[in-house]
């Protein structure tokens, strides 16, 4: 019986690529493992080495204004627009980190926009928008210093300790003999250890102030910048302070005299600057989107001339300390670029323009479309509401395996396909996964060649000709003949053609050149152009024989075309709203059962529409075979899952998937139209859907910036269900055996485990009504008392539920009261009040159960009291009857001759 459990389709979200950064502050500890980033109102901790999500620290309902980590990684400090500052202690284990809130403070009367922590991880500086600066003891949570400057926003803070050379004059002055007012000599004073501690602050007015933490006063006013000071750093080996700001200059200061050593114009808004290594090199990052290296001694730029990056790639911040192995730069598009640190050997030589060795996408924005790449499907191409295609790794590094894409963790950014000038709306991939077609709002389609083995990601050709946005692209998926050059060397044999559709209501077929086209003047003419629909074209799909293609439009129709001639073969009418997606059935599709008989699997096509339905169509007569209903919003994407092998088709269904505006992914049985499974892991509409050709893994991309990977666990679920059913049968038989031999202790324990209320009731009734109860037993048998006295929280709560039900019935109430009495005698009252019940409504449910037991118990006792009172009346009536009736001893029985017997006195 266990082997006949019905097959159930199940999928589980095993991996999620989620946003980690949406602008604001980022922080790293010295170990370069924990990366803290701002995600709206929350803070996210990520392991930068493995890319794994560590934890999310929920916010207080207001946007985070800034955050930082202590260099030791012991604390996380978060400030928000609510003017609160929360300090979290980070408890590290081998595989996780737990953030525990230590205290919440209100540091300023205005929001805090900048934080700084000293190298010992004990002092914290906060700068408010009102110009005040406070220094805090992190462990104690109290203020140690308060510095008040002009009422101008504090834009930069930096702790440092003066080098020995800079302290000579201070030590000399401190050791001079001082005379008191009475003329008495005072002993030499030692310079305290805190005398070297300084805090540098930069303001929006361009002024830099140096605060002495020992004297609690300003020791230097560096008045040189004319705009926001965005970066401050100190080099003890060079005795130099560097400052940079939005006045497009970098300034190096001598910390002995606090005079300017060098002023260098950099012709860009500088957002980050600092020293590298022992201070001989300095770096800057700014609005040009390029990392620049400078010679600290003479202020000359060492990097070769670099062309400015697009505005969206401009840097808005940076992060570096000598303890870190790389420089982190933050881009406008929320990308974190990691650069190698140049060595001090470059102080006199030119440095090639630095390129990031890794990019971390803070957020992918809306996921509009996605596809698997490469023959081993180890990468994923994402269209992310931007002008670029992002390629990410979707494989975990495993020993012994050599994927085509080498990456350190799942979801790592591999490359960007740059070339479009406006948002990319659609993409498609050929059979090999090496060729990617894209269509964008810039009215162009492009073909890309993806070769990660040689780190080559190039645009092969550009197709211009549409009058409006290119909203749909499609490449042929038919495989070349095995053994042919196109099959063995797909990188040098691009697809033969491409079909595009546009908001201009036309479709075009393009022949793809055999050689890459270089230069903007090179143009490609379309093989044919057809006026296809009356409204925008949303999707195009080519069948696996590359003979037909389908176009779906907002005009509620889908048209089937011949690839060769570009002529309409049929029109699918039936949807009540625009059609968003279309997909031909796989080539090995078996015969499907329609409402009007069998249909050849190869001749069907699936569509999804704004009318919230999917439809399955017969290409033989262009009629609707079946309609799938279940989504509560527009169906935005449809896809076929892998067809089960012939030997498994009797138990495994033929499935198709749909993604909707309701944020759900639904799986449907193509033969009966039923919804087999619903996948829910998104908070916004799901635009994109793809299926792994080998593992059947479903990938869904949503407007909430997440990509979910759904693993097919149907076989595992079936195996687990069969094993659970077999185990239950064995346990039920074991329960019957215990009951048969009278082993009540084991039988009651097993009945509780199996949640058999009827069997449990029968066992308790036998125990309570036993003719030979054990002396001193609460329930009737001491063995049962031991079972009742050793229940877990879950078992105790389950038994209370059963007692509540039995207590409502007058027939079973005596047994329930006896068992309840045994429980009350076995446990203190605190055990019932502190039961750890699972579920969000656990404690509320426990309260309801105990209240129900109390109410019905009081009702039973009230009924007993009424019966006792009524028994007094019966007893009184009998006594009165005895006093009024004659004594039986004076009465005798006499026959009257008629056969009757009468009583006479």
């Amino acid at each position: 019986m266990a082997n006949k459990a019905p097959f159930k389709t199940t999928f589980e979200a095993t991996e999620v690529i989620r946003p980690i950064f949406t602008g604001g502050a980022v922080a790293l500890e010295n170990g370069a493992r924990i990366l803290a980033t701002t995600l709206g109102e929350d803070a996210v901790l990520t392991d930068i080495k493995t890319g794994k999500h560590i934890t999310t620290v929920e916010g207080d309902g207001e946007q985070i204004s800034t955050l930082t980590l202590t260099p030791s990684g012991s604390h996380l400090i978060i400030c928000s627009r609510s003017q609160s500052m929360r300090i979290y202690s980070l408890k590290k284990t081998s595989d996780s980190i737990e953030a525990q809130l230590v205290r919440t403070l209100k540091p300023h009367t205005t929001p805090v926009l900048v934080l700084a922590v000293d190298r010992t991880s004990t002092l914290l500086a906060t700068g408010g928008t009102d110009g005040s600066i406070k220094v805090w003891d992190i462990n104690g949570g109290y203020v140690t210093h308060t510095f008040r400057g002009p009422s101008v926003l504090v834009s930069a803070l930096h702790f440092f300790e003066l080098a020995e050379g800079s302290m000579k004059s201070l030590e000399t002055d401190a050791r001079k003999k001082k005379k008191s007012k009475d003329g008495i000599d005072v002993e030499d004073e030692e310079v305290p250890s805190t005398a070297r501690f300084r805090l540098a602050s930069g303001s929006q007015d361009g002024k830099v102030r140096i605060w002495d933490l020992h004297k609690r006063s300003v020791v230097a006013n560096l008045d040189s910048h004319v705009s926001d000071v965005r970066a401050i750093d100190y080099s003890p080996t060079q005795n130099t302070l560097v400052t940079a700001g939005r006045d497009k200059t970098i300034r190096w200061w001598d910390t002995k005299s606090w005079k300017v050593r060098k002023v260098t114009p950099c012709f860009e808004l500088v957002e980050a600057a600092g020293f590298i290594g022992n201070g001989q090199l300095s770096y800057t990052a700014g609005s040009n989107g390029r990392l620049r290296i400078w010679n600290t001694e003479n202020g000359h730029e060492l990097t070769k001339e670099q062309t400015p990056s697009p505005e969206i790639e401009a840097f808005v911040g940076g992060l570096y300390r000598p303890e870190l192995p790389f420089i982190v730069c933050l881009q406008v598009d929320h990308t974190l670029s990691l650069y190698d640190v140049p060595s001090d050997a470059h102080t006199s030589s030119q440095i090639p323009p630095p390129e990031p060795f890794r990019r971390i996408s803070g957020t992918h924005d809306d996921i509009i479309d996605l596809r698997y790449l490469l023959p081993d499907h180890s990468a994923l191409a994402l269209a992310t509401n931007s002008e670029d295609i992002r390629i990410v790794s979707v494989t975990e590094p495993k020993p012994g395996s050599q994927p085509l894409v080498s990456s350190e963790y799942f979801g790592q950014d591999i490359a960007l396909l740059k070339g479009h000038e406006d948002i990319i709306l659609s993409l498609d991939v050929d059979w090999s996964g090496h060729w990617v077609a894209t269509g964008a709002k810039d009215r162009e389609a492009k073909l890309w060649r993806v070769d990660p083995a040689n780190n080559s990601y190039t645009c092969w050709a550009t197709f211009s000709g549409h009058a409006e946005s290119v909203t749909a692209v499609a490449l042929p998926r038919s495989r070349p003949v095995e053994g042919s050059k196109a099959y063995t060397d797909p990188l040098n044999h691009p697809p033969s053609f491409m079909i595009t559709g546009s908001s201009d209501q036309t479709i075009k077929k393009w022949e793809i050149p055999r050689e890459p086209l270089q230069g903007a003047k090179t143009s490609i003419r379309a093989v044919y152009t057809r006026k296809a629909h009356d409204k925008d074209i949303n999707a195009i799909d080519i069948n696996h024989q590359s003979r037909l293609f389908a176009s779906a439009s907002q005009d509620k129709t889908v048209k089937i075309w011949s690839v060769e001639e570009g002529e309409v073969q049929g029109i699918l009418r039936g949807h009540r709203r625009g059609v968003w997606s279309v997909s031909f059935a796989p080539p090995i599709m078996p015969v499907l059962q329609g409402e009007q008989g069998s249909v050849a699997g190869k001749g069907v096509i699936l569509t999804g529409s704004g009318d919230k339905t999917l439809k399955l169509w017969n290409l033989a007569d262009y009629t609707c075979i079946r309609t799938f209903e279940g989504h509560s919003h527009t169906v935005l994407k449809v896809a076929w899952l892998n067809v089960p092998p012939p030997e498994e088709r009797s138990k495994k269904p033929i499935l198709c998937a749909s993604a909707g505006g309701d944020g759900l992914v639904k799986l449907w049985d193509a033969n009966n139209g039923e919804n087999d499974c619903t996948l829910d892991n998104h908070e916004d509409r799901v635009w994109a859907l793809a299926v792994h050709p080998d593992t059947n893994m479903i990938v869904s991309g949503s407007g909430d910036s997440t990509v979910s990977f759904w693993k097919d666990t149907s076989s595992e679920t079936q195996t687990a269900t069969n094993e659970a059913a077999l185990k239950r049968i064995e346990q039920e038989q074991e329960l019957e055996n215990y009951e048969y031999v009278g082993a009540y202790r084991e039988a009651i324990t097993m009945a509780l485990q199996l949640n058999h209320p009827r069997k449990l009731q029968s066992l308790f009734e036998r125990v309570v009504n036993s003719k030979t109860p054990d002396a001193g037993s609460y329930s009737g048998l001491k063995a049962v008392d031991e079972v009742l006295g050793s229940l877990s929280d879950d078992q105790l709560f389950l038994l209370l539920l059963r007692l509540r039900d039995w207590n409502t019935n007058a027939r079973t109430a005596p047994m329930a009261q006896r068992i309840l009495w045994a429980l009350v005698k076995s446990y203190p009252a605190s055990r019932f009040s502190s039961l750890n019940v699972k579920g969000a409504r656990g404690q509320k449910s426990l309260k309801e159960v105990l209240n129900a037991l109390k109410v019905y118990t009081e009702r039973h006792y009230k009924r007993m009291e009424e019966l006792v009172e009524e028994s007094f009346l019966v007893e009184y009536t009998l006594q009165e009857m005895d006093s009024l009736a004659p004594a039986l001893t004076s009465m005798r029985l006499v026959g009257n001759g008629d056969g009757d017997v009468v009583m006479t006195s």
Side-chain angles (χ1 to χ4, degrees), residues 650-668:
S650 58
K651 61 178 182 178
K652 289 188 177 181
I654 307 297
L655 296 175
C656 57
S658 63
D662 50 12
L664 302 176
V665 176
K666 290 181 176 288
L667 304 182
W668 309 85

Side-chain angles (χ1 to χ4, degrees), residues 30 115 123 239 315 340 358 401 419 425 458 547 576 610 625 629 657 724 732 769 787 806 819 847 863 899 902:
N30 284 344
L115 297 171
L123 296 179
N239 288 317
F315 293 141
D340 285 319
R358 185 194 301 177
S401 64
L425 299 176
T458 57
R547 296 176 182 174
R576 301 187 302 277
I625 302 172
E629 296 180 346
E732 288 178 350
N769 299 323
V787 174
W806 298 333
I819 301 301
K847 185 177 180 180
R863 186 182 301 114
V902 297

